[in-house]
Amino acid sequence: MPNKNSHASHRPQRTCVACKTRKGLEELWSFFILPEGIVFDPERKVQRRKFYVCQQQDCLVGLDKWRRQFAKRNVGLRGTKALFSDLAKEAGEQGQ
């Protein structure tokens, strides 16, 4: 009989900023925002406010739209470059 107070079976859940689906932490890529743009943190070691995105091409393309909306709410991020939709399209073309 397992211990009721044990957290051994707990799996952290996070929400994708593009499609709003909840997934396990290991299924999502983490990133944070700097005035220069979006920075991915593959090892999850940087201590900053993190956001999460699915590894699907549609979500990576939608990341530019999300970034623009986020920049509207946060004045210090205006003028960052739109670059992830181009990268996601290239990744999708290479995968096919």
Side-chain angles (χ1 to χ4, degrees), residues 6-11:
S6 175
H7 296 287
S9 64
H10 174 73
R11 302 288 181 245

Side-chain angles (χ1 to χ4, degrees), residues 11-88:
R11 302 288 181 245
Q13 298 283 311
R14 299 292 184 264
T15 303
C16 173
V17 296
C19 66
K20 306 292 188 226
T21 58
R22 291 183 60 85
K23 294 186 178 184
L25 189 60
E26 65 280 350
E27 298 176 43
L28 300 170
W29 288 344
S30 65
F31 66 93
F32 56 94
I33 306 290
L34 292 178
E36 294 82 24
I38 294 175
V39 179
F40 283 90
D41 184 21
E43 297 179 8
R44 302 174 195 259
K45 292 191 178 196
V46 178
Q47 297 293 318
R48 294 188 62 102
R49 169 67 167 97
K50 300 271 180 74
F51 302 96
Y52 300 90
V53 67
C54 295
Q55 300 173 11
Q56 300 171 357
Q57 183 179 0
D58 293 339
C59 290
L60 293 174
V61 171
L63 198 55
D64 274 335
K65 179 181 176 184
W66 176 84
R67 184 200 44 82
R68 285 190 304 271
Q69 292 172 347
F70 184 80
K72 285 180 185 178
R73 292 186 301 250
N74 298 291
V75 178
L77 297 176
R78 292 188 184 183
T80 58
K81 297 178 184 177
L83 109 114
F84 287 102
S85 59
D86 296 334
L87 291 175

